[in-house]
Amino acid sequence: SVREAYPVILGHSIALDATAEQQAQFRRACGVARFAWNYGLAEWKRMHEAGEKPSAQKLKAKWNAVRKTEFPWSLEVTTCASGQAILDLGTAFANFFRDLKKPKGTRKARFPRFKSKRNDNGFALWNDQFQIDGDRIRIPRVGWVKMHEPLRLAGKIMGARVARIGHRWHVSVQVETAPDMQPAPNETVGIDLGIT
């Protein structure tokens, strides 16, 4: 029998040749993403203690309702940074509660923790919020940023994440592609194992 070929999601990590001003904006976006995660986690705990049923959607709605008045500086960066951070928090809680059903020795997900600058230097981009043109990427509130090389994957772009790795900024682009559209064996790509 012929096996049906399902699409796969691959990630291509590309170094960015960002200017000093663009790097400063990246750091601001990372700070907003980190703050939104911590805000969401504190609100989740508060809602739980008050007998309410928290969810990522409720937290995101509350964040959007208060950010203009309470955290206006968060509007200086792409909305993806804070929005995806709160959605990621919801995923972390879902993973934690799902793992609780497993035997103790097999659990991997832990209760979400507050993030610090030391262990989190990245922010997400939704696929309708950025554009790739050859060897450059347009990021909201940042503009066009030079990439070290063009995207080597063909298919539907699902999203991206900008992160600092060592002393350099990178963008990891997730692309849904058919198995026969994958790079040749001598090409190297990164596979994001966090994507299901």
Side-chain angles (χ1 to χ4, degrees):
S1 63
V2 179
R3 279 174 36 183
E4 185 176 351
Y6 291 98
V8 295
I9 295 179
L10 299 178
H12 182 190
S13 181
I14 307 171
L16 296 173
D17 297 325
T19 66
E21 184 179 344
Q22 290 172 335
Q23 292 180 49
Q25 191 70 354
F26 291 164
R27 289 190 292 273
R28 290 188 197 100
C30 290
V32 169
R34 188 167 50 248
F35 182 89
W37 169 285
N38 291 340
Y39 170 89
L41 181 53
E43 277 298 304
W44 189 292
K45 291 181 175 182
R46 184 198 63 75
M47 292 175 70
H48 179 72
E49 291 169 1
E52 302 174 42
K53 189 173 181 181
S55 71
Q57 288 72 26
K58 291 178 183 177
L59 293 177
K60 194 163 177 285
K62 179 163 187 184
W63 167 260
N64 289 335
V66 303
R67 64 182 299 208
K68 290 183 181 179
T69 54
E70 295 185 28
F71 317 114
W73 42 266
S74 70
L75 301 173
E76 296 174 2
V77 304
T78 173
T79 189
C80 311
S82 58
Q84 189 60 47
I86 292 176
L87 294 177
D88 289 345
L89 176 64
T91 300
F93 269 110
N95 292 339
F96 170 74
F97 290 126
R98 186 178 62 245
D99 250 19
L100 282 181
K101 299 175 183 177
K102 298 178 182 178
K104 279 191 177 181
T106 62
R107 296 175 188 169
K108 294 181 180 179
R110 61 184 183 183
F111 192 89
R113 299 181 181 184
F114 290 102
K115 293 186 175 182
S116 68
K117 185 183 289 188
R118 187 189 319 177
N119 63 14
D120 187 71
N121 282 297
F123 63 95
L125 294 171
W126 297 324
N127 64 352
D128 62 343
Q129 294 294 308
F130 69 97
Q131 178 185 352
I132 292 178
D133 179 22
D135 62 351
R136 61 181 188 158
I137 179 171
R138 188 189 62 77
I139 299 174
R141 305 282 184 173
V142 177
W144 287 102
V145 183
K146 183 84 165 61
M147 300 191 301
H148 196 65
E149 64 176 314
L151 180 65
R152 286 184 271 130
L153 299 174
K156 180 182 178 182
I157 293 178
M158 306 300 290
R161 180 174 173 81
V162 176
R164 185 169 180 167
I165 302 173
H167 297 290
R168 193 164 190 180
W169 290 91
H170 291 71
V171 61
S172 177
V173 184
Q174 291 82 45
V175 179
E176 181 182 76
T177 180
D180 60 351
M181 294 178 67
Q182 295 178 34
N186 62 341
E187 294 188 38
T188 305
V189 296
I191 300 177
D192 191 333
L193 298 179
I195 302 291
T196 56

